[in-house]
Amino acid sequence: MTALERLKASDIRERPSDSLIEQIRAKYLTEKEVDLVLTSKMRRRNGPPFQQITLERLITGAKQLIEANLGYSVGISDASWLSGGASKLQVVFVLDWRGPDGAVGATESTKMVLRTEPAASITESSRRREFQVLKAVSGVISAPKSYWFDDGQYLPYPGIVIGFCKGIAKPSTD
């Protein structure tokens, strides 16, 4: 039986072993961040079954992420799902904080967006790389401000918190 036949005849694609994952990584070398994203996806296949990620869970994680980075308590309000495209989970919210300078006594309300992966995304891309690219183009092209990145410590999957940009994703006419 060929390797391809063995692959088709078993469920190793559904639940790849650590050994198989390491074999694939050794055979198909790729850029470090792409390797992290794809390896994580393969390892998740061995994890618990799919569970719907709630808006509450994402906001709780975002609040923990932001507070860990700022070192003080913040408020989050007016959270809702952003529509348009299902390749990423997107939540818009208002952050009540001291602002980018963090001055004690200062208060600011800033509209922000949380972007993270859905559990079974067919597309895999890196939130870390997206965060880095947005930082790199800041002030060069029109792009949202990048605030915080999470590698999955606070959120169910890697995610970023960015500023909200007004506009539309796709023109309504051709």
Side-chain angles (χ1 to χ4, degrees):
M1 184 181 285
T2 69
L4 182 59
E5 290 169 330
R6 281 194 310 276
L7 182 63
K8 288 180 179 179
S10 71
D11 69 342
I12 61 175
R13 291 177 296 167
E14 293 298 320
R15 302 208 181 283
S17 66
D18 287 340
S19 172
L20 177 63
I21 292 170
E22 291 310 314
Q23 288 173 29
I24 292 169
R25 291 179 70 216
K27 186 172 182 176
Y28 303 102
L29 299 177
T30 187
E31 189 265 335
K32 183 180 176 183
E33 185 62 20
V34 172
D35 178 62
L36 286 171
V37 169
L38 296 177
T39 299
S40 174
K41 183 174 180 94
M42 286 188 286
R43 288 194 172 125
R44 280 196 312 265
R45 297 194 97 160
N46 290 311
F50 171 78
Q51 292 182 348
Q52 183 76 29
I53 298 174
T54 64
L55 180 62
E56 180 180 311
R57 170 66 182 94
L58 289 177
I59 291 303
T60 298
K63 187 174 189 308
Q64 292 170 342
L65 166 67
I66 294 166
E67 290 177 346
N69 278 276
L70 294 177
Y72 62 86
S73 293
V74 300
I76 292 182
S77 61
D78 300 328
S80 62
W81 296 107
L82 275 177
S83 62
S87 65
K88 305 292 171 272
L89 294 177
Q90 301 184 107
V91 175
V92 63
F93 62 93
V94 175
L95 177 66
D96 296 313
W97 60 322
R98 296 179 191 165
D101 297 329
V104 176
T107 58
E108 187 174 312
S109 294
T110 307
K111 198 170 191 178
M112 296 194 175
V113 174
L114 168 67
R115 282 176 50 83
T116 189
E117 302 293 323
S121 177
I122 192 152
T123 61
E124 285 299 327
S125 57
S126 167
R127 295 294 63 74
R128 180 189 321 271
R129 191 56 39 89
E130 179 179 4
F131 185 80
Q132 292 167 336
V133 168
L134 287 172
K135 282 247 185 227
V137 301
S138 177
V140 178
I141 63 170
S142 180
K145 179 175 168 82
S146 297
Y147 287 94
W148 301 283
F149 166 77
D150 177 47
D151 61 5
Q153 181 178 356
Y154 300 100
L155 299 165
Y157 303 104
I160 61 174
V161 176
I162 58 177
F164 180 84
C165 291
K166 288 184 179 182
I168 57 172
K170 180 182 173 189
S172 57
T173 60
D174 289 340

